[in-house]
Amino acid sequence: MWWKPVHRSERIWFTIAFIWCMILFAMMPLWHLRGGQNPSGTRARVEPSAYVARVQQFVRDYGTGATDGGIPVVAPPAGADIYLLGAQFQWTPVLQLEQGAEYTLHLSSLDVNHGFNLFPFNVNFQVVPGYDYGLRVIPTEAGSYSILCNEFCGIGHHLMVGRVIVNPVGTASAPEASPAAAGGGQ
Amino acid sequence: MNAADSAFRVCPTTGLKVHKDADALIKANAVVATVALLVGGIAAILVLLTRWQAVHLLSDVMFYRWLTIHGMNMLIFFILFFEMAVLYFASAVLLNCRVAGPKFAWAAFVLMVAGAGLVEWTTFTGRADVLFTSYVPLRAHPAFYLGVILFAVGAIIVTTIFFSTLVIAKRERTYTGSVPLVTFGAITAAIIAAITLLHGAAIYIPTFLWSVGVMNVDPQIYRLVWWGLGHSSQQINVAAMVSIWYLLGALTAGAVVLNEKISRTAFVLYILFISMASAHHLLVDPGFGPSWKIVNTSYFMYMAVLASMLHGFTVPAGIEMGMRLRGFTEGIFGWLRRAPWGDPGFSALCLSVVVFGFVGGITGVTFGTEQINIIAHNTLRIPGHFHATVVSGTAMAFMGITYYVIPLIFRKKVAFYGMARWQPYVFAIGMLIFSLSMTFVGTFGVPRRHYDISFAGAPFGVEFSPATDLMMGLMAIGGLIAALGGGMYILITVWSVFFGAPLGADCTDKALRGSVPPGVYARPFMELPKTEVELKEHGRLGVAPGTMVLVFVFLVAFVVYYFANWKLLSDTWQIG
Ligand code: HEM
Ligand SMILES: [Cu+2]
Ligand SMILES: [Cu+2]
């Protein structure tokens, strides 16, 4: 049995499957060169307390108020480093961004793993305590978006929702971008 | 060599002597596996009826608790106890050999049961609401981690016994030639198991120490090493499943192995490239750079995917050629039409191959692509994917082989045999609806492991599209059908084993027809015609034209789904 020659049909399928696997492989480096969505970013270790301090500084620098629920609202200028903190069970702060501008979005956690899910775009990243994930983002469409937590982080996991508001180009402070609107709803 | 030839004689008078310890060990492990399946199945229904927002059965605490119970009992206890039985079967039974160190084997069994018991106790009493991944620094009672460690130590002992049994069989010459392909596959599974369990020790021992306050565990390192356990263990499942595919093919349709070289090489590829696969759980994690992610997720350039694509060809091609050799040569698909679809072993095999390949395989490779993972990570697309692999693939194959294990090992008739003929279809169709709708609804960003996507009480409102509700409803219906199929399986197996009619000494067609799968008694069907039958080449399609057509349909589906996902990805925000 061992020494029988390989059937031709097996050889054909082997060759095709091999080529397909190479294509699968090549797509990843190719997308780094040509594609607009890559999970590379900048990656660094950070003490949770140090990260919280950065978020607080960020809120002091660009804060515009707070939602009804007391979550700070921040409107950073284009090109800024923006800091988002996941903590059981809240995303801080609410972000107001400008359509088409580039930001570096930092993600980290105070306590356990959380998950960043930008709704409804379905963009997902893992948020790990002790690590600062810095992702360059360009919001391509204006609107009001939610951040869902997509990693189980404790019994309040399903209540963990944040807010990102993207203003259309040239409207630094559209009405929908007011803190009250950001905190609207419940 | 045809696996069926060496292994299966059902008559106690003419058959292989199955070593008494092997017999009892297989039975014990199979029984515990079924208990775990029952517990996990009850949990599945409760969790399912909670995710179905229209019913929303459990409270939040109970939802996460039952989800933990479901994950542990299904993925860890059901699958691994069953695999322990497979290891004893592939070594002692297939090689006609005694079990090495039966005392150790029983000690291992006791350890595993004790470990599982600790885990059940902590989860059921709310001391471990951490889900089966138990990501540090979520904290469970130390006994939870201890339970996992005991369970893993038991499993390590069983793999050691497996290898020792192989050595004994070789030394005592209980078989001739090289080991059968099925045993070769089991060796693959056992080697991967050894790698896996070492990862398990490397992560659960520190985590246990952390839980009693002795040391620190970094959350990112935890995820890395944990998935060295969590993913490689999936590869044990794949290797065990593929071995069972070959076995069932031989038993039910007289399948031949096209070329042992290719099939064995494909198993070796699993061993070589699997331990890297942990990476595809970490594609959007902050701890690792792009080159590490690319090299490791692609299982080093997708060599393990290649292996699966090879098995996905050789298994159906082997069936096709087996059928053709027995005279079912008409047209391209005549062999498929005339195949024994009423044999639950055969239908389970085919459904397992098809759903595993078309749904599980395609989604898995696509979601495991570095960038595409951005639009899949931790959404319902992920459980959608793995219910098509480990459930519709592995669990389905396990169910199929059970219908042969009952008569061949337990020496009982299959109870409710008429129901058994339907069971694989019910389970597979339910699972197909369930996993397809989960995969679909996940593209809208619905998170996995989530109690309430109506977000009642959350600081901001979130509205999913109405299509989501519809798909979640379908998912619930599919899940319930699958649960029904699972229930049928449990009823049949438990009834057969504990209250079933014994097989008796009469092993003729007449005595057995309608109470066990035909592969058990229809020996003449298994026998190849005496004279060498020339296999006809069908033009460009070769010796297995039907299979060739099928794998090309598969390839087209793969290519379309893969590139559709790149398109989907390119529509989101720019991120880098
Ligand atoms: C009757 C069949 C089954 C049904 C209806 C079912 C249903 C479900 C549901 C609804 C979830 C929760 C998805 C989520 O919210 O994230 C889930 C998760 C899961 N299931 Fe199943 N399941 C079934 C069988 C199985 C089997 C046989 C296995 C393993 C062999 C399995 C392994 C898992 C795992 C590992 C999870 C993930 C748990 C987690 O995220 O922590 N399931 N299942
Ligand atoms: Cu969270
Ligand atoms: Cu969460």
Side-chain angles (χ1 to χ4, degrees), chain B residues 448-478:
Chain B
R448 68 184 285 198
R449 304 175 150 182
H450 199 281
Y451 172 63
D452 182 12
I453 60 160
S454 75
F455 291 94
F460 304 101
V462 179
E463 285 270 336
F464 280 97
S465 86
T468 313
D469 287 335
L470 188 74
M471 293 310 287
M472 299 281 280
L474 258 183
M475 158 186 154
I477 291 164

Side-chain angles (χ1 to χ4, degrees), chain B residues 272-289:
Chain B
L272 293 180
F273 297 109
I274 246 37
S275 48
M276 306 172 156
S278 135
H280 70 214
H281 294 266
L282 313 171
L283 291 176
V284 292
D285 272 37
F288 314 93

Side-chain angles (χ1 to χ4, degrees), chain A residues 64 67 73 94-99 141-145 163-185, chain B residues 460:
Chain A
T64 61
T67 66
V73 179
V94 169
L95 299 168
Q96 291 191 13
L97 309 179
E98 226 178 277
Q99 182 185 5
E141 279 174 56
S144 171
Y145 306 112
R163 190 54 108 221
V164 182
I165 289 153
V166 179
N167 298 312
V169 208
T171 53
S173 176
E176 63 186 320
S178 71
Chain B
F460 304 101

Side-chain angles (χ1 to χ4, degrees), chain B residues 37 44-45 47-48 51 63 67 70-71 74-75 78-79 131-133 380 383 386-387 390-391 395 427 431 434 438 447-450 475 479-480 482-483:
Chain B
L37 180 65
I45 294 172
V47 167
L48 183 75
R51 287 231 61 165
F63 170 77
L67 188 55
H70 177 65
M74 289 299 206
L75 194 67
F78 160 58
I79 293 280
L131 305 189
F132 78 101
T133 42
L380 272 184
F386 66 69
H387 282 84
V390 72
V391 187
F427 188 74
M431 260 301 145
F434 175 70
M438 265 215 270
R448 68 184 285 198
R449 304 175 150 182
H450 199 281
M475 158 186 154
L480 288 175

Side-chain angles (χ1 to χ4, degrees), chain A residues 26-39, chain B residues 370-372 374 565-567 569-571 575:
Chain A
M27 276 306 287
M28 293 188 285
L30 212 65
W31 200 264
H32 274 282
L33 295 175
R34 288 292 169 83
Q37 297 80 14
N38 287 290
Chain B
E370 191 204 4
Q371 294 91 346
I372 294 177
I374 294 173
N565 271 275
W566 282 111
K567 172 73 178 79
L569 175 70
S570 68
D571 289 342
I575 288 191

